[in-house]
């Protein structure tokens, strides 16, 4: 038991690997393998990629540090943290946005996680065996636009999530994350090599890595910012909550850098797998949210033992989604438990019920509710867009201002150096980023996207 655990009676990750593996587990998920390729595909490839990588390291890493600092130093959820540090201020109100975001993301995320479960079963049953790419497209379309099967999977996925979350932090989550992420990574490497040998690999790589500056517009820049926040699980207090379970020896700067690097590596690997295949198969990179579900099965089909690869990959993707949804659930459950004095069990049921309701609406956005639009977007589209592109960056904006301007530099130093026991040289850089770079950049992207600049 650590010192902190004695003092506050709150759970702490038992090992350093546990802390890293869980934050990476939260970050790596559908955001990398499903969302990144589809966002890059619809936003012109290289141009998007350029902004995305810059935002990850310039904004993502500092904001990640700020969440870890807030979480570990207060050992609280997002509300408690901001209230402890600024009792008289209104900073903690950003927590409501965080809770709302986590419930909304969980709702649409479960839809895609449900799709991965369906495809895992279909692969294993040998039902994904088609001769042409257009058949893969038609097959996915008929599944996702159906009404009961996708809903069933969304519900099953949420029940799996519930079962793990209700058991508590260290037990369920740590165990799952430790084995899973490395395995997923290895598999991606194998697929990567395969894609690089495809006939139009060069064209795919060029699309992904060579920025076409004529494609840059406000949508590309906002999309890249949103993707950076989404993929690092930033801006809603999720990493703050995980930071609150860090022990006093966990090095915040290193953990943030490691999380961002591994997460970006996974996204880039996914891109290297998808785009050479998209071009080689003569598909369109602009298919949107369904992209990877049409391309991946076609890739697996070409591999010897494709059925096994496919089933195993979708199974791993399902597990990777679980470690991400667990972290989102943890954000709102720790709020219900600590702020609303609910039992963990009750909090889990309340959160799951809300998400299940909206999750079903999101699922039906591809089926019988595809005509129901709000501001030109389906419920699914709206939840995805509003959370990633608006709510999460707003959260990140507030965290960076709070930590950069409101907290004393000494406070930051104590956390970044683990109470003076280790060195952290880039402190001035971190402070500079939190004070100026992050808030100004986020503001500029917003102003640009509403046409002010
Ligand atoms: N980062 C996760 C992913 O890439 C999604 C996520 C967003 C998780 C927000 C938690 C909070 O899949």
């Amino acid at each position: 038991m650590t010192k902190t655990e004695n003092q506050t009676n709150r759970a702490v990750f038992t090992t350093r690997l546990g802390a890293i593996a869980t934050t990476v587990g939260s970050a790596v998920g559908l955001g990398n393998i499903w969302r990144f390729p589809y966002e890059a595909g619809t936003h012109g490839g290289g141009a998007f990629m350029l902004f995305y990588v810059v935002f990850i390291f310039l904004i993502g890493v500092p904001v990640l540090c700020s969440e870890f600092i807030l979480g570990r130093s207060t050992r609280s959820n997002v509300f408690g943290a901001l209230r402890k540090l600024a009792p008289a201020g209104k900073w903690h109100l950003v927590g409501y946005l965080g809770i709302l975001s986590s419930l909304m993301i969980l709702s649409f995320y479960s839809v895609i996680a449900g799709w991965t479960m369906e495809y895992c079963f279909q692969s294993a049953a040998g039902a994904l065996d088609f001769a042409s790419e257009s058949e893969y497209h038609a097959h996915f379309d008929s599944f996702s636009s159906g009404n009961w099967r996708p809903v069933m999977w969304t519900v099953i996925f949420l029940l799996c999530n519930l079962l793990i979350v209700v058991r508590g932090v260290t037990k369920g989550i740590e165990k799952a994350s430790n084995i899973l992420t490395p395995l997923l990574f290895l598999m991606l490497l194998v697929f990567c090599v395969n894609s690089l040998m495809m006939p139009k690999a060069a064209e795919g790589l060029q699309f992904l890595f060579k920025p076409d500056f004529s494609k840059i517009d406000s949508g590309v820049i906002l999309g890249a910012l949103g993707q950076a926040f989404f993929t690092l699980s930033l801006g809603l207090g999720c990493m703050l909550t995980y930071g609150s379970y860090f022990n006093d020896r966990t090095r915040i700067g290193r953990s943030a850098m490691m999380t961002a690097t591994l997460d970006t590596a996974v996204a880039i690997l996914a891109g290297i797998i998808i785009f050479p295949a998209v071009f080689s198969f003569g598909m369109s990179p602009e298919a949107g949210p369904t992209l990877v579900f049409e391309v991946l099965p076609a890739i697996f089909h070409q591999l010897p033992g494709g059925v096994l690869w496919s089933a195993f990959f979708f199974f791993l993707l399902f597990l990777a989604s679980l470690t991400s949804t667990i972290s989102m659930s943890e954000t709102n459950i720790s709020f219900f438990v600590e702020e609303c004095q609910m039992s963990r069990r009750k909090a889990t049921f309340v959160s799951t019920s809300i998400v299940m309701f909206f999750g079903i609406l999101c699922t039906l956005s591809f089926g019988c509710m595809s005509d129901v639009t709000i501001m030109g977007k389906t419920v699914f589209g709206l939840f995805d867009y509003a959370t990633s592109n608006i709510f999460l960056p707003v959260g990140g904006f507030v965290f960076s201002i709070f930590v950069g301007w409101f907290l004393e530099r000494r406070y930051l130093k104590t956390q970044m150096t683990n109470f003076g026991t280790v060195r952290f040289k880039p402190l001035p850089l971190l402070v500079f980023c939190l004070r100026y770079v992050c808030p100004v950049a986020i503001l500029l992207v917003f102003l640009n996207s509403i046409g002010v600049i």
Side-chain angles (χ1 to χ4, degrees), residues 178-336:
N178 286 352
I179 352 165
L180 181 92
T181 324
L183 212 57
L184 184 70
F185 203 81
L186 277 182
M187 250 188 132
L188 288 174
L189 277 179
V190 175
F191 296 148
C192 210
V193 174
N194 173 58
S195 280
L196 288 175
M197 293 187 313
M198 289 190 178
K200 293 211 172 147
E203 222 172 292
L205 293 182
Q206 203 168 2
F207 175 81
L208 183 62
F209 292 112
K210 192 156 173 247
D212 174 353
F213 291 101
S214 68
K215 294 239 170 84
I216 297 176
D217 62 17
S218 57
V220 171
I221 302 176
L222 182 65
L225 181 73
Q227 176 61 19
F229 271 86
F230 185 87
T231 194
L232 292 180
S233 316
L234 286 182
L236 75 173
C238 173
M239 288 305 198
L240 188 156
T241 309
Y242 269 11
S244 75
Y245 303 127
F246 280 6
N247 66 37
D248 289 345
R249 280 159 293 127
T250 305
R251 299 181 69 161
I252 291 181
R254 253 189 214 178
S255 309
M257 206 53 195
M258 194 123 118
T259 306
T261 308
L262 286 175
D263 185 79
T264 309
V266 174
I268 292 177
L269 282 183
I272 297 179
I273 295 168
I274 297 289
F275 290 108
V278 164
F279 284 91
S280 303
F281 297 156
M283 295 165 133
S284 158
E286 293 180 17
T290 56
L291 179 72
V292 299
F293 288 89
E294 292 165 14
V295 181
L296 285 176
I299 299 179
F300 300 144
H301 181 70
Q302 294 192 326
L303 290 171
V307 173
L308 283 181
W309 285 112
S310 179
F312 193 51
F313 180 78
F314 282 114
F315 179 66
L316 281 185
L317 196 51
F318 152 72
L319 291 178
S321 321
L322 257 184
T323 52
S324 298
T325 54
I326 289 166
S327 73
M328 288 175 233
S329 311
E330 200 56 43
T331 312
N332 53 62
I333 286 165
S334 67
F335 162 73
F336 288 133

Side-chain angles (χ1 to χ4, degrees), residues 104-105 107-108 358 362 378-388:
M104 285 171 77
I105 296 177
S107 306
F108 76 81
F358 288 104
C362 287
T378 60
V379 179
F380 180 98
L382 185 72
F383 275 30
D384 184 359
Y385 184 88
T387 47
S388 310

Side-chain angles (χ1 to χ4, degrees), residues 1-27:
M1 209 186 247
T2 67
K3 191 168 110 244
T4 346
E5 204 175 357
N6 280 331
Q7 281 166 354
T8 61
N9 209 13
R10 209 162 180 277
V12 177
F13 288 133
T14 40
T15 58
R16 177 138 38 103
L17 181 69
I20 286 287
T22 27
T23 49
V24 173
S26 166

Side-chain angles (χ1 to χ4, degrees), residues 18-298:
I20 286 287
T22 27
T23 49
V24 173
S26 166
V28 172
L30 294 171
N32 311 60
I33 291 159
W34 158 74
R35 201 174 188 281
F36 172 76
Y38 110 65
E39 282 282 320
T42 47
H43 286 124
F48 175 89
M49 178 81 172
L50 180 69
F51 280 97
Y52 167 73
V53 173
V54 170
F55 287 153
I56 287 277
F57 290 99
L58 212 61
I59 303 180
V61 172
V63 173
L64 192 50
C65 289
S66 76
E67 291 206 26
F68 286 161
I69 290 172
L70 289 171
R72 189 175 68 174
S73 65
T74 59
R75 302 255 173 243
S76 290
N77 65 72
V78 52
F79 283 86
L82 295 169
R83 245 197 329 243
K84 267 187 203 168
L85 294 169
K90 293 266 177 281
W91 294 95
H92 63 277
L93 294 183
V94 73
Y96 288 109
L97 195 65
I99 302 302
L100 180 69
S101 308
S102 76
L103 293 171
M104 285 171 77
I105 296 177
L106 268 170
S107 306
F108 76 81
Y109 204 89
S110 310
V111 178
I112 313 299
W115 291 355
T116 63
M117 293 172 89
E118 164 82 6
Y119 261 42
C120 176
F121 279 97
Q122 284 205 17
S123 312
L128 291 180
D129 188 14
F130 301 109
S132 73
E133 281 68 47
S134 58
E135 283 176 81
Y136 282 99
H137 170 80
H139 182 75
F140 186 73
D141 204 42
S142 93
F143 155 68
S144 61
S145 60
N147 290 328
W148 78 270
R149 263 188 99 83
V151 169
M152 173 189 86
W153 284 118
T154 303
V155 171
I156 294 181
F157 178 78
L158 283 170
L159 292 178
C160 296
N161 183 58
L162 180 140
L163 279 181
I164 297 187
V165 167
V166 89
R167 293 173 60 206
V169 184
T170 39
K171 275 183 272 161
I173 309 178
E174 249 182 72
K175 261 192 236 151
S177 307
N178 286 352
I179 352 165
L180 181 92
T181 324
L183 212 57
L184 184 70
F185 203 81
L186 277 182
M187 250 188 132
L188 288 174
L189 277 179
V190 175
F191 296 148
C192 210
V193 174
N194 173 58
S195 280
L196 288 175
M197 293 187 313
M198 289 190 178
K200 293 211 172 147
E203 222 172 292
L205 293 182
Q206 203 168 2
F207 175 81
L208 183 62
F209 292 112
K210 192 156 173 247
D212 174 353
F213 291 101
S214 68
K215 294 239 170 84
I216 297 176
D217 62 17
S218 57
V220 171
I221 302 176
L222 182 65
L225 181 73
Q227 176 61 19
F229 271 86
F230 185 87
T231 194
L232 292 180
S233 316
L234 286 182
L236 75 173
C238 173
M239 288 305 198
L240 188 156
T241 309
Y242 269 11
S244 75
Y245 303 127
F246 280 6
N247 66 37
D248 289 345
R249 280 159 293 127
T250 305
R251 299 181 69 161
I252 291 181
R254 253 189 214 178
S255 309
M257 206 53 195
M258 194 123 118
T259 306
T261 308
L262 286 175
D263 185 79
T264 309
V266 174
I268 292 177
L269 282 183
I272 297 179
I273 295 168
I274 297 289
F275 290 108
V278 164
F279 284 91
S280 303
F281 297 156
M283 295 165 133
S284 158
E286 293 180 17
T290 56
L291 179 72
V292 299
F293 288 89
E294 292 165 14
V295 181
L296 285 176

